[in-house]
Amino acid sequence: MTKVVNYISEAFEELKSNVTWPAWPEVQRLTIVVAVFSVLFALATWGVDEIFAKALAGFFNWIKA
């Protein structure tokens, strides 16, 4: 158990002393960029799903006829 506690304390010390954190305006800007691209990717995924669903429905209707 002491190894786990030691690992966690060393990880926090590493985060405090050796990591360069971005400035708050940069964090806000990058968050907006990630949100926009997430929405665009979700819309693209939805669009491809709709196209495949309609194509498969058309294919199965064609086979039924």
Side-chain angles (χ1 to χ4, degrees):
M1 185 65 176
T2 57
K3 288 183 179 182
V4 173
V5 173
N6 188 31
Y7 174 79
I8 292 172
S9 66
E10 286 179 4
F12 276 111
E13 185 60 37
E14 182 85 16
L15 287 172
K16 286 191 319 189
S17 61
N18 295 338
V19 174
T20 304
W21 296 100
W24 183 245
E26 186 179 5
V27 171
Q28 290 175 326
R29 183 180 59 82
L30 292 175
T31 300
I32 292 170
V33 168
V34 168
V36 167
F37 277 102
S38 295
V39 169
L40 290 176
F41 186 73
L43 289 172
T45 303
W46 172 77
V48 170
D49 181 54
E50 286 295 316
I51 289 170
F52 278 120
K54 288 181 182 183
L56 283 174
F59 175 73
F60 286 119
N61 286 335
W62 178 68
I63 287 178
K64 243 195 250 185

